[in-house]
Structure formats: C-alpha cells, structure tokens
Amino acid sequence: ASRPFSPADQAAVSAACAAYVRAVVYDEWPRLRDGGSSARAEAAVDDLYRAMQAVKPATAAASAFYQDAVGRLNDVISARRNRLADADGGLSAPIVGLIVLGSVVILGYTVLVGSRSAAFHAVGAGAIALVVGFSLVVLIAYNYPYAGSLAIGTTPYRAGVLAQYFQPHR
C-alpha cells in the first residue's frame, strides 16, 4: 500500500512490487529447489529500488511512510538473501564430522554392548540404527528447505496483501 505517495509514484511502486512478487513466485522459487537464484527476480529488485528512489514525498506523513517503506524494502532484500543462502544447503565439514562420528559411536556401542539374548540385542541395535538413520534423513531434508516433500511453498506470497498481485484481470 503506497497511498501516501502521489498517484504516479503509487502506481510505479505498486507495479514494481507486483513484478518482484511474481518473479519470486514464478521464476525464483522453482530455481531455489536446485539452489539457484533468478536473474528476473534480481532485476525486479533493482526496479523496485529505482521506483522507491524516484518517490518524492510531499508531506511529513508521506516522508515518514517513505522511510518505513524503505526499511521494509531492506527487510525484503535481507529475507531474499537468507532464502538464497538457505537454498544452497550443505552442511559444514565440522557438522558432517560430528554426525558421522556420533553415528559410529552410538551404533558401535549398541553392537558391542552385549545382551544374553541375541534377538533382544539385534532388536535394540536395529532400533537405534533406525532412529539414527531417520534422524539423518530428516536433517538432510531440512537442510534443503525448498526441495523435496518438506519444501517451503509460496503460499505466504499468495495470501494477505500480496494476493492482489495474483488476481486475474489486474
């Protein structure tokens, strides 16, 4: 909502915002699955910045609104940077080492600690191996938040104030 701005500024900011939101949903989001970004979204960000820089607030209220809008635009850019960083996924070497070492120690302990019943020992070791295995699968799935069955979707972009940019006949 850019109502405190002049009609021309309001139209320019709204059009730039719509272009950015659509670029994120239709172009960048699918690329995030593979850890990529979108040149179209990057260009839309630049256009949004240019539209905001072109605004000339005429009143004190418009100036205050403009300052808040620029702050929110910076938040949008920060959130985009975080999305792009998260999409890369991958675990650091110390974390991978800790996971491998921890898994080996836990599974090694369960194999080496004996029980009088071989069946009970096998069930216990198997259960622990299953829990460690599922934990690793979940860790890997959450490490790539835009891919797979646990992927983050675009629903927040299609709801609330931003929903206006996805309505037909706009």
Side-chain angles (χ1 to χ4, degrees):
S2 52
R3 289 186 192 112
F5 299 158
S6 71
D9 289 341
Q10 182 178 344
V13 169
S14 183
C17 185
Y20 172 69
V21 169
R22 288 185 188 124
V24 168
V25 169
Y26 295 129
D27 193 50
E28 188 160 67
W29 217 268
R31 294 170 193 268
L32 289 174
R33 290 184 191 111
D34 300 322
S37 64
S38 162
R40 181 176 158 204
E42 185 67 34
V45 166
D46 293 342
D47 291 345
L48 188 52
Y49 262 112
R50 274 193 287 281
M52 288 299 294
Q53 288 172 341
V55 170
K56 302 293 184 230
T59 65
S63 183
F65 183 83
Y66 177 79
Q67 292 300 322
D68 185 56
V70 169
R72 299 221 184 250
L73 180 56
N74 289 331
D75 293 343
V76 165
I77 301 310
S78 178
R80 180 172 186 260
R81 246 184 256 118
N82 289 340
R83 274 195 314 272
L84 295 176
D86 290 346
D88 280 341
L91 296 172
S92 65
I95 298 293
V96 170
L98 181 62
I99 290 169
V100 169
L101 180 64
S103 298
V104 168
V105 168
I106 290 170
L107 293 176
Y109 181 76
T110 60
V111 169
L112 295 176
V113 171
S115 172
R116 295 182 196 263
S117 168
F120 181 75
H121 182 73
V123 168
I128 290 174
L130 193 64
V131 168
V132 169
F134 281 139
S135 297
L136 292 175
V137 167
V138 170
L139 178 66
I140 290 169
Y142 277 124
N143 201 40
Y144 295 95
Y146 300 99
S149 61
L150 299 175
I152 298 171
T154 60
T155 303
Y157 281 90
R158 297 173 183 272
V161 175
L162 299 178
Q164 66 182 320
Y165 300 126
F166 296 99
Q167 294 174 352
H169 306 96
R170 179 154 158 64

